[in-house]
Amino acid sequence: HDANWWALMEHNAGRLPGTRSSWAISAAWFAFLAGVASTALIPVPSHWGCFIAILIGLIFSSIWLPDNGDTVLPFCTIIILPIVVFKSVAMGGLWSYSILLFVFVVIPLADFIVGVDVGNQTREIQKELHTAFRFELLTLLVAPGILGCLCYAAWLANSGGLSLLEFGGLTIGTGIITGVVGIVAGHELCHKASRLERVLGRLLLCSATYGHFYVEHTLGHHKDVATDHDPATSRYGESFYEFLPRVVKGEFVNACRIEAARLRRNGLPWWHNEIPVYFLVSVGIALALACLTGPLAVPLFVAQSVVAVLLFESVNYLEHYGLERRELKPGQYEQVQPQHSWDTACRVTNHVMFKLERHADHHAHAGKRYQTLQAYDSSPQLPAGYATMILLALFPPLCRMVMHPRLLAHRRLQVGRGRQQVNITIE
């Protein structure tokens, strides 16, 4: 269907099924990443303008880079966020907050200019990519990368060279790193079967003091999504400011309830409860940072956790807004389908967030790896990427003006499909 995306380009719409990337495509992405990484060597503040111009130019130039979905290199663009954060802090003053301009101005513009990617893969290629270790390796490397960013941020905070204003910019920037890269990669790892991936996934969640999300998300949200029982499904007409306290409280309470039920079911004593363990891990990370770098690491860690959770829950607000599953009988709902999650095909943000924006396929097949997630015509479509939509969510009347016509059109479409199914059954 016509998704009416806010985008100039539509990539891979005419790509033949089974098309693979050539060595030249991989080489082009490698050169692109080398250019991005080299911006970290540009000295600031003396060449700040040069740094910004080159980085933005590189991001926009990715419009010409083909991506058939079988190379891991486009997802390595996550390195952009820590580069921008720490270069901004080195610039000092109000520039310490330039990561906000990058996330909420540059990335939305990049989503608009670079456009959307609607390419899907054949079943054979999906099976092949599912076992491709290069994609798994990248998510595994996120854990030491995030811990390294936290260590460096804590060292900067305790170095004595930052003003209170710059400390605030560092805190927000670090929270954006752990919220956009850390929690999203943690979410990806927590759904996987291997013990190492699940452990590192929970560690990443604990780096934002949100370890209990593992319990609630995997055992609560995926079961109750798009129903009134799910705290992470935003209701029709509910503003982000109403949703935020409800979801933060609801996810914690639900996680505790699920964990208590597990202990009763298995006859385990209270000290087997995992929820306190996750908080102790977060405390341990904060204290370890303080021991390594200094006491300011503790307030930095706490404050960046708040920023990370705010950012992640703003994404949660968008993913199922106003969507509902039919209740077949009391307490029993229809199976989770692609139409119960909002998708968006924006290429830049899907690369930075491990295809989290292909959310419908994730809920339909929770165990699929990010590189194999497909785009569905049957799922409702957000007009833009998450960065743009988060900005809209901060202004509820504007958000409703954009979302409600799409939501109501999607509901009418579902009613029409339901009538067609009934007619087919009758015939």
Side-chain angles (χ1 to χ4, degrees):
H1 59 275
D2 184 6
N4 291 317
W5 287 301
W6 298 343
L8 291 180
M9 291 283 293
E10 188 172 308
H11 300 268
N12 290 325
R15 189 185 75 196
L16 294 175
T19 304
R20 298 175 183 270
S21 297
S22 65
W23 67 267
I25 291 177
S26 296
W29 276 105
F30 184 82
F32 169 79
L33 288 170
V36 170
S38 67
T39 62
L41 303 176
I42 298 174
V44 294
S46 58
H47 294 79
W48 173 251
C50 180
F51 165 73
I52 293 296
I54 292 175
L55 187 62
I56 293 176
L58 282 168
I59 293 169
F60 288 170
S61 72
S62 68
I63 190 174
W64 292 292
L65 293 177
D67 178 20
N68 293 332
D70 55 357
T71 174
V72 71
L73 295 176
F75 300 101
C76 296
T77 53
I78 57 175
I79 65 173
I80 291 174
L81 290 180
I83 289 174
V84 173
V85 168
F86 295 125
K87 282 293 184 182
S88 299
V89 174
M91 184 65 184
L94 287 174
W95 287 112
S96 302
Y97 296 83
S98 57
I99 184 62
L100 293 173
L101 293 174
F102 182 82
V103 170
F104 295 115
V105 177
V106 175
I107 289 184
L109 282 174
D111 273 338
F112 175 70
I113 293 171
V114 176
V116 297
D117 186 343
V118 297
N120 282 336
Q121 300 137 343
T122 63
R123 289 184 180 274
E124 291 72 21
I125 292 181
Q126 286 184 57
K127 290 178 182 178
E128 177 186 319
L129 292 179
H130 184 80
T131 57
F133 181 67
R134 60 187 181 275
F135 293 96
E136 178 184 340
L137 177 62
L138 177 60
T139 52
L140 293 175
L141 290 175
V142 170
I146 289 295
L147 292 178
C149 287
L150 285 172
C151 284
Y152 185 56
W155 177 80
L156 287 174
N158 286 281
S159 64
L162 299 183
S163 66
L164 183 60
L165 179 72
E166 292 161 347
F167 180 82
L170 175 64
T171 298
I172 291 174
T174 306
I176 288 174
I177 294 172
T178 56
V180 174
V181 181
I183 294 183
V184 172
H187 164 266
E188 167 71 18
L189 291 169
C190 284
H191 278 288
K192 300 304 169 279
S194 91
R195 183 176 179 82
L196 175 62
E197 287 177 287
R198 293 200 308 274
V199 168
L200 291 180
R202 284 177 278 187
L203 178 63
L204 284 168
L205 296 177
C206 289
S207 70
T209 322
Y210 224 48
H212 62 279
F213 176 82
Y214 168 75
V215 175
E216 200 286 325
H217 182 79
T218 55
L219 301 177
H221 173 65
H222 271 262
K223 178 175 69 72
D224 296 329
V225 65
T227 73
D228 289 339
H229 302 293
D230 179 33
T233 296
S234 52
R235 319 296 189 227
Y236 176 82
E238 184 179 34
S239 73
F240 172 67
Y241 304 104
E242 295 168 320
F243 170 77
L244 182 61
R246 182 176 67 79
V247 69
V248 171
K249 176 184 176 182
E251 285 183 330
F252 177 73
V253 170
N254 215 24
C256 292
R257 180 187 60 79
I258 292 170
E259 189 63 3
R262 181 184 72 87
L263 297 182
R264 287 195 303 271
R265 188 169 57 251
N266 295 312
L268 297 173
W270 64 268
W271 58 82
H272 284 265
N273 192 317
E274 292 183 358
I275 306 297
V277 174
Y278 297 139
F279 282 99
L280 286 175
V281 171
S282 297
V283 171
I285 294 173
L287 293 179
L289 291 173
C291 291
L292 289 171
T293 64
L296 287 178
V298 174
L300 172 77
F301 181 81
V302 173
Q304 69 84 27
S305 295
V306 172
V307 173
V309 170
L310 284 173
L311 194 59
F312 187 70
E313 293 300 1
S314 65
V315 169
N316 252 348
Y317 173 74
L318 301 167
E319 289 172 336
H320 308 283
Y321 177 80
L323 301 176
E324 299 174 352
R325 285 155 59 199
R326 287 183 296 115
E327 190 170 14
L328 304 177
K329 59 183 181 180
Q332 182 179 333
Y333 295 86
E334 65 176 315
Q335 185 178 355
V336 177
Q337 299 288 341
Q339 61 263 28
H340 300 127
S341 302
W342 289 91
D343 262 10
T344 184
C346 292
R347 193 162 91 152
V348 172
T349 40
N350 264 308
H351 284 161
V352 173
M353 300 184 75
F354 298 102
K355 284 192 175 179
L356 184 65
E357 293 177 334
R358 291 193 173 191
H359 208 61
D361 197 18
H362 168 67
H363 268 275
H365 310 94
K368 287 182 75 171
R369 293 190 179 274
Y370 65 96
Q371 66 269 23
T372 63
L373 293 175
Q374 307 298 290
Y376 282 95
D377 284 339
S378 57
S379 65
Q381 301 291 316
L382 296 173
Y386 284 164
T388 306
M389 298 307 299
I390 289 171
L391 273 180
L392 284 179
L394 298 179
F395 303 94
L398 188 59
C399 185
R400 293 182 186 118
M401 185 176 69
V402 171
M403 291 293 291
H404 286 186
R406 289 173 175 264
L407 177 59
L408 295 176
H410 173 69
R411 287 182 175 180
R412 285 193 294 269
L413 184 63
Q414 295 309 304
V415 169
R417 285 175 176 167
R419 287 174 178 168
Q420 288 178 356
Q421 290 174 355
V422 169
N423 290 337
I424 291 171
T425 303
I426 291 173
E427 292 172 0

